[in-house]
Amino acid sequence: MLNLGVLASGRGSNFQSIIDSIEAGRLKASVKLLITDKSDAYAAERAKKHSIEHLYINPKDFTNKDVFYEKIAGELSARGVELVVLAGFMRVVRKPLIERFPNRIMNIHPALLPSFPGLHGQQQAADYGVRISGCTVHFVDEGMDTGPVIVQAAVPVSPEDTEDTLSKRILKLEHKIFPEAIRLFAEGRLSVEGRIVKIRGYCVDEDACLLNPPL
Ligand code: GAR
């Protein structure tokens, strides 16, 4: 059973998809702690509903960002967390957390990295006029959405798409691939060589879209 710690800033629908996968028995994991950095994050309500411990940690209470991340790392370690999941956590995480959990922090990003990193990945894709976008789960390093890619999934983009319509289409896939990436980790199937993530027992179907993992 894998011990998870989740960090979120807002709505928490990705957090919910992880809870749902665990409760459905698809993911052998347990969420030990949710940490939010916003006092009104709806993710906190979801934790309450599912009897998951929650801490609101206000970044403004700390003299600098490193001390904030040391606090977070300490709370996660104290609960035996083995994998940290960034589920809509709208901050670039820093060394004190990354060094405590090397290749043990996963993030979901609403674009096909390395395209459209940072905020509003869906808006950036719609504005650029790409025909395909999607979402990426990756390990977190010190850059902005630059860590090794674990899984990606693609969606078509229409010229009529807005940030809102594209976000909805991408979000459906986020809810599938994030629990899937965590499951691969929980089953001990991921190894990182440089920036390449190897997945044991993962076959590419030559006739299918190479971007989509077997869900
Ligand atoms: C998701 O679309 C996630 O990919 C994105 O924020 C949303 C959070 O939704 N994350 C980022 O843009 C990180 N750079 P949620 O709170 O409902 O899971």
Side-chain angles (χ1 to χ4, degrees):
M1 179 81 89
L2 179 72
N3 288 340
L4 299 176
V6 178
L7 273 53
S9 299
R11 179 178 60 182
S13 71
N14 276 290
F15 174 42
Q16 187 69 51
S17 76
I18 294 163
I19 295 171
D20 292 346
S21 294
I22 292 171
E23 292 187 351
R26 288 190 297 274
L27 178 59
K28 306 264 178 290
S30 156
V31 182
K32 293 293 168 197
L33 179 65
L34 168 75
I35 295 177
T36 52
D37 63 338
K38 294 259 170 62
S39 59
D40 59 351
Y42 185 71
E45 301 299 318
R46 301 182 191 268
K48 204 169 166 187
K49 258 185 222 155
H50 294 270
S51 306
I52 293 168
E53 187 188 358
H54 165 241
L55 289 178
Y56 161 53
I57 303 183
N58 185 350
K60 293 197 182 110
D61 291 343
F62 299 85
T63 47
N64 64 52
K65 286 179 185 162
D66 282 352
V67 188
F68 170 65
Y69 284 108
E70 267 160 31
K71 167 75 173 166
I72 290 178
E75 297 292 352
L76 294 167
S77 296
R79 287 159 184 84
V81 165
E82 297 159 290
L83 178 70
V84 181
V85 173
L86 308 185
F89 187 64
M90 297 308 195
R91 291 175 179 276
V92 177
V93 303
R94 291 169 72 114
K95 244 193 185 134
L97 183 59
I98 295 168
E99 283 181 347
R100 195 83 71 96
F101 294 93
N103 286 333
R104 285 177 169 268
I105 306 174
M106 275 185 195
N107 180 46
I108 180 114
H109 182 74
L112 291 177
L113 292 172
S115 291
F116 314 128
L119 293 177
H120 302 289
Q122 308 96 326
Q123 177 84 63
Q124 292 182 57
D127 289 349
Y128 196 94
V130 292
R131 291 289 176 253
I132 294 176
S133 192
C135 45
T136 304
V137 181
H138 64 94
F139 284 119
V140 171
D141 64 12
E142 281 178 56
M144 161 94 82
D145 301 322
T146 51
V149 169
I150 303 165
V151 285
Q152 294 185 302
V155 301
V157 185
S158 125
E160 320 306 329
D161 269 318
T162 61
E163 179 176 29
D164 187 48
T165 58
L166 185 54
S167 296
K168 285 192 179 121
R169 195 173 309 129
I170 292 173
L171 194 65
K172 276 191 199 159
L173 282 182
E174 292 187 38
H175 295 162
K176 288 186 181 170
I177 70 167
F178 210 4
E180 167 71 5
I182 298 167
R183 185 175 67 81
L184 292 169
F185 184 97
E187 292 174 354
R189 290 168 61 190
L190 300 181
S191 57
V192 186
E193 296 174 18
R195 61 163 302 110
I196 303 302
V197 178
K198 298 264 167 86
I199 306 178
R200 193 162 47 78
Y202 182 91
C203 315
V204 169
D205 178 349
E206 301 286 346
D207 298 324
C209 174
L210 295 181
L211 291 163
N212 287 308
L215 296 170

